[in-house]
Amino acid sequence: MTQRQSHQEAEHVVRLRAELKQALSLDLEELGLIEADSGEYESTFIGVHLKTAFQPIYDAKQGEIYGYEALIRPSLFGTLGSTPEFAFTYADQSGKLVQFDRVCRSQHVLNFRAIHQENGLLFLNVHPKLLLEVSAHGKVFEQILHQYSVPTHRVVLEINESLIDQDKHLVAAIENYRSLGYRIAFDHVGNHQSKLYRLWRAQHDFIKFDVSVIHQAAQQPSLAKALGGLVHAVQDLGSTPVIVGVETQQQLDIAIASGAAILQGNFLAAPVVAKVLNDQQQRRTSKVA
């Protein structure tokens, strides 16, 4: 890289940080955004180093990628590996949960732009505590998406409804997000905490079954047969079922036999950085077809 190119890239990152400062309402010094040698954007916020990984979600009937779930990969002090749950708990205890979430989402959007696909969906997790901030928080994120040319209808917000105590908060959050153009996915449906009556009381575009569903279906033939009924029930509600946690050929066969078209799991593709996704797509698609 020439000295001129290096200088231009440095100026680009400075401009980008300034834009995010305005959108996120953060002091510039709080957001350590860098463009790594891999071309991926990384950041450091409240001492937590953040990288983005994407896991492809496949359309088994079309044999192509349907979308990507963005996952944060945090580490402490740049060396100690951590989990998203720990990082968000730490941000919450530090009084920076809203800002931390905005940093994560913004970084996901920046890295999502590196994926050469014009129509794929971006699946993002929503922290349950931030549902109460849905009006202001959603509009700020809408501004970020608009700034980086990702329309809200390409964004699917994943809500773990089992962690929401009050129905009215869940319904209000969904109505607000949908009014801004986002799509909604209920996540972890089928775990022991799920409130199944919410499936027909609240609007949603996707139902993502808990990973335990496909794993247990592989162990219990009766559940494998019943899975088709669950898939059709979700479809009858006007929603799209998504089977996640597919880790073996047996689980893939069961998922396809159930009638579900949208599948996700490490057997199909593990989470990776945006830079390598295009190379993986051709190799992984053949397993689904």
Side-chain angles (χ1 to χ4, degrees):
M1 180 183 296
T2 66
Q3 184 175 1
R4 179 180 179 182
Q5 289 174 322
S6 178
H7 180 69
Q8 288 176 336
E9 287 196 7
E11 287 185 338
H12 169 68
V13 172
V14 169
R15 288 196 303 270
L16 191 56
R17 290 176 65 196
E19 291 172 356
L20 290 177
K21 172 190 175 183
Q22 181 178 6
L24 302 174
S25 300
L26 295 175
D27 291 334
L28 188 59
E29 291 73 19
E30 288 189 87
L31 182 61
L33 181 74
I34 63 170
E35 187 173 7
D37 294 338
S38 64
E40 303 291 315
Y41 286 98
E42 304 174 5
S43 59
T44 301
F45 184 66
I46 58 172
V48 181
H49 187 71
L50 303 169
K51 294 183 179 181
T52 296
F54 295 97
Q55 184 166 40
I57 299 172
Y58 284 91
D59 184 334
K61 292 184 177 179
Q62 299 298 322
E64 60 187 26
I65 290 180
Y66 186 79
Y68 304 87
E69 180 174 355
L71 303 165
I72 203 69
R73 292 292 183 256
S75 60
L76 302 178
F77 312 110
T79 57
L80 300 176
S82 183
T83 65
E85 293 78 14
F86 177 85
F88 274 91
T89 298
Y90 173 67
D92 190 17
Q93 293 174 346
S94 303
K96 296 283 188 177
L97 179 61
V98 170
Q99 295 92 331
F100 185 78
D101 182 76
R102 289 176 181 173
V103 169
C104 292
R105 291 200 200 186
S106 300
Q107 183 171 305
H108 290 332
V109 172
L110 288 172
N111 288 321
F112 182 63
R113 295 191 310 161
I115 300 173
H116 301 297
Q117 183 163 320
E118 297 180 356
N119 300 314
L121 300 178
L122 174 62
F123 287 71
L124 296 173
N125 292 281
V126 176
H127 194 284
K129 283 193 174 182
L130 296 178
L131 288 177
L132 300 179
E133 306 285 342
V134 62
S135 183
H137 191 53
K139 289 179 180 178
V140 169
F141 186 55
E142 182 185 15
Q143 177 185 351
I144 296 169
L145 289 171
H146 178 73
Q147 191 164 351
Y148 297 106
S149 302
V150 179
T152 55
H153 70 262
R154 287 186 63 190
V155 177
V156 182
L157 300 178
E158 298 189 13
I159 298 175
N160 187 345
E161 58 80 23
S162 65
L163 300 180
I164 312 301
D165 292 330
Q166 297 188 31
D167 290 353
K168 64 179 182 180
H169 289 162
L170 179 66
V171 172
I174 291 173
E175 289 178 349
N176 275 277
Y177 277 130
R178 288 176 68 92
S179 71
L180 295 172
Y182 299 103
R183 304 188 196 191
I184 299 296
F186 274 14
D187 198 12
H188 298 287
V189 172
N191 67 15
H192 67 282
Q193 295 177 308
S194 292
K195 301 176 178 63
L196 294 181
Y197 69 86
R198 287 175 166 174
L199 297 187
W200 54 86
R201 286 193 180 181
Q203 291 184 305
H204 42 74
D205 302 281
F206 299 89
I207 293 295
K208 298 188 76 174
F209 291 114
D210 190 73
V211 295
S212 63
V213 173
I214 190 63
H215 292 177
Q216 292 178 19
Q219 299 172 0
Q220 304 176 38
S222 59
L223 181 56
K225 293 180 180 179
L227 184 56
L230 295 175
V231 166
H232 292 308
V234 170
Q235 293 170 336
D236 288 342
L237 291 173
S239 195
T240 300
V242 182
I243 294 183
V244 304
V246 178
E247 297 178 353
T248 67
Q249 182 66 53
Q250 179 193 18
Q251 293 172 3
L252 176 60
D253 293 341
I254 292 172
I256 292 176
S258 74
I262 311 304
L263 312 176
Q264 179 181 356
N266 288 342
F267 183 71
L268 302 173
V272 293
V273 296
K275 184 178 180 180
V276 302
L277 277 173
N278 291 326
D279 292 336
Q280 283 195 338
Q281 182 176 353
Q282 292 183 347
R283 296 196 301 268
R284 297 294 186 177
T285 301
S286 61
K287 288 189 176 182
V288 183

